[in-house]
């Protein structure tokens, strides 16, 4: 067990799986340069055949990864930023997500597509997206969105060993977080199982990716006011651990969904609909979504940062849910 960062957890997971299975290889833009620190020493250790730089052509190299997976390889694709998945939508949605189905199970596509959600850093409209929700709508893809180093390592290793395509969304706001992570090379976390990050009795906060540490800070502030908040991290968006969410909401009777992505058709919307459909009888207050407005992200940090879920917005939502006074809004 060692205390490591989110990025170090990614590096460990990849190194262990590359060492364990010769069919695993990596490809992506500038990964040999170790741009984000997740491939340190990989070329020297595993060779250029298994650590492959690609042209700036996401549709091309993600499509190539799909083909490699179909013939028995296990590619890890570093797509850098999540916005860069858009040029590869045809390969991801028309080929990678559908091939196992359209070939009647004769094709397997064991590949992982990693991408960072690098928002909140003045990257402006084209590089700040958090697009996991649109991929939740495409059958055939599994989606993980870890919020801490332990979950990152365990889920990424499970994804690499999975026989289905997995999209791994890595929240840049969690990069520097540290946690105790097992050194065991067979440490895995099951895809499709969420986690209770904090126990509580008065309301449930279901938070996604970078929303989790913000929700935990809000829960601590609420505790000082006598409000006990339970914080749930789904960790996996597809498949979604609906049972865990519903158990928590049935216990507390209230729910807040915290999602750094845009409001409309968000993961928060899907979770809210699930709660209303399957636990309506347990609700003592309406489900509240705390998300990012349906607007493109500006360059200005002064304008950008308040758009995402904040501790203050979560606390105000919790107070509304339990009927406590809400802090006055300032202009």
């Amino acid at each position: 067990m060692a205390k490591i960062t989110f990025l170090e957890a990614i590096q460990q997971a990849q190194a262990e799986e590359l060492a364990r299975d010769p069919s695993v290889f990596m490809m992506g833009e500038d990964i040999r340069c170790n741009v984000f620190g997740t491939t340190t020493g990989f070329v020297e250790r595993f060779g250029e055949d298994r650590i492959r730089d690609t042209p700036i052509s996401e549709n091309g190299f993600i499509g190539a990864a799909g083909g490699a997976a179909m013939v028995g390889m296990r590619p890890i694709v570093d797509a850098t930023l999540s916005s860069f998945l858009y040029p590869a939508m045809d390969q991801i949605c028309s080929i990678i997500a559908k091939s196992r189905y359209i070939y009647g199970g004769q094709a397997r596509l064991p590949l992982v597509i990693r991408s960072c959600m690098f928002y909140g850093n003045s990257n402006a409209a084209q590089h700040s997206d958090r697009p996991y929700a649109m991929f939740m709508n495409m059958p055939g893809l599994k989606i993980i969105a870890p919020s801490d180093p332990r979950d990152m390592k365990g889920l990424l290793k499970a994804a690499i060993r999975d026989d289905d395509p997995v999209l791994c969304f890595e929240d840049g706001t969690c990069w520097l977080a540290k946690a105790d992570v097992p050194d065991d090379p067979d440490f895995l976390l099951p895809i499709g199982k969420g986690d209770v990050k904090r126990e509580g009795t008065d309301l449930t906060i279901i938070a996604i990716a970078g929303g989790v540490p913000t929700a935990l800070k809000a829960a601590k502030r609420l505790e000082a006011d006598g409000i006990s908040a339970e914080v749930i991290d789904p960790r996996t968006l597809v498949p979604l651990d609906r049972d865990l969410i519903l158990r928590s909401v049935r216990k507390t009777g209230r729910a807040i969904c915290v999602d750094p992505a845009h409001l409309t058709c968000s993961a928060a919307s899907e979770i809210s609909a699930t709660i209303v459909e399957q636990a309506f009888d347990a609700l003592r207050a309406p489900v509240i979504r705390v998300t990012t407005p349906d607007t493109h992200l500006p360059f200005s940090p002064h304008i950008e940062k308040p758009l995402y879920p904040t501790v203050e917005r979560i606390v105000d939502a919790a107070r509304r849910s339990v009927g406590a006074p809400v802090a006055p809004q300032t202009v």
Side-chain angles (χ1 to χ4, degrees):
M1 188 80 72
K3 191 177 287 293
I4 61 174
T5 67
F6 197 86
L7 291 175
E8 289 170 332
I10 296 171
Q11 179 184 328
Q12 275 193 15
Q14 294 177 148
E16 289 174 4
E17 294 306 301
L18 283 160
R20 186 189 70 87
D21 185 348
S23 69
V24 176
F25 73 98
M26 292 192 64
M27 60 194 302
E29 298 165 3
D30 296 324
I31 60 172
R32 290 179 182 173
C33 299
N34 192 29
V35 176
F36 291 129
T38 59
T39 54
T40 305
F42 279 20
V43 175
E44 294 77 11
R45 182 176 177 187
F46 301 109
E48 293 186 354
D49 285 347
R50 298 181 69 195
I51 311 299
R52 293 175 172 259
D53 275 347
T54 63
I56 303 175
S57 176
E58 290 80 11
N59 197 47
F61 68 74
I62 287 178
M70 283 194 212
V71 297
M73 302 301 287
R74 291 184 176 271
I76 305 169
V77 181
D78 186 343
T80 316
L81 299 182
S82 294
S83 305
F84 295 170
L85 297 179
Y86 301 150
M89 287 292 278
D90 184 37
Q91 294 294 338
I92 295 171
C93 296
S94 300
I95 306 299
I96 291 170
K98 290 183 169 66
S99 287
R100 189 161 191 169
Y101 171 77
I102 64 177
Y103 296 127
Q106 296 178 82
R108 296 184 308 159
L109 282 93
L111 76 154
V112 177
I113 303 174
R114 293 180 40 231
S115 63
C116 173
M117 300 182 293
F118 204 47
Y119 63 97
N121 293 280
S122 295
N123 283 326
Q126 289 189 316
H127 288 166
S128 299
D129 287 358
R130 293 85 55 230
Y132 42 80
M134 69 171 62
F135 291 100
M136 290 173 67
N137 191 249
M138 175 52 60
L141 301 173
K142 294 180 179 178
I143 300 174
I144 60 175
S147 67
D148 64 48
R150 183 178 184 276
D151 291 353
M152 183 70 254
K153 181 178 179 180
L155 284 171
L156 181 55
K157 286 171 65 68
I160 296 167
R161 299 188 191 189
D162 200 287
D163 283 339
D164 290 313
V166 181
L167 300 187
C168 176
F169 287 95
E170 300 158 6
D171 197 309
T173 66
C174 302
W175 271 5
L176 300 181
K178 285 191 172 184
D180 289 324
V181 178
D183 298 323
D184 181 2
D186 286 321
F187 166 65
L188 304 174
L189 289 174
I191 294 175
K193 294 294 182 183
D195 189 33
V196 180
K197 296 299 186 187
R198 179 189 174 109
E199 299 276 355
T201 55
D202 293 329
L203 72 144
T204 298
I205 304 175
I206 306 104
I208 295 163
V212 175
T214 307
L216 288 169
K217 291 175 185 176
K220 188 172 183 180
R221 186 178 299 184
L222 289 165
E223 184 180 33
D225 296 333
I227 301 171
S228 174
E230 182 153 292
V231 178
I232 301 291
D233 180 357
R235 301 195 296 199
T236 302
L237 297 174
V238 179
L240 181 65
D241 193 348
R242 289 176 167 83
D243 289 341
L244 175 65
I245 293 167
L246 293 170
R247 280 198 305 272
S248 179
V249 173
R250 286 191 176 279
K251 179 177 76 171
T252 67
R254 299 178 177 88
I256 297 170
C257 298
V258 178
D259 185 350
H262 296 301
L263 173 68
T264 300
C265 297
S266 58
S269 298
E270 175 62 24
I271 292 168
S272 299
T274 296
I275 294 168
V276 171
E277 286 179 347
Q278 300 186 37
F280 184 78
D281 58 313
L283 290 175
R284 291 184 278 172
V287 179
I288 301 174
R289 293 173 292 170
V290 180
T291 67
T292 301
D294 293 331
T295 180
H296 293 299
L297 280 307
F299 171 82
S300 166
H302 178 72
I303 302 173
E304 179 192 10
K305 290 185 183 298
L307 295 175
Y308 307 115
T310 62
V311 170
E312 292 73 22
R313 289 177 61 198
I314 298 170
V315 167
D316 283 354
R319 286 178 168 278
R320 292 200 307 274
S321 185
V322 301
V326 176
Q329 298 297 312
T330 59
V331 178

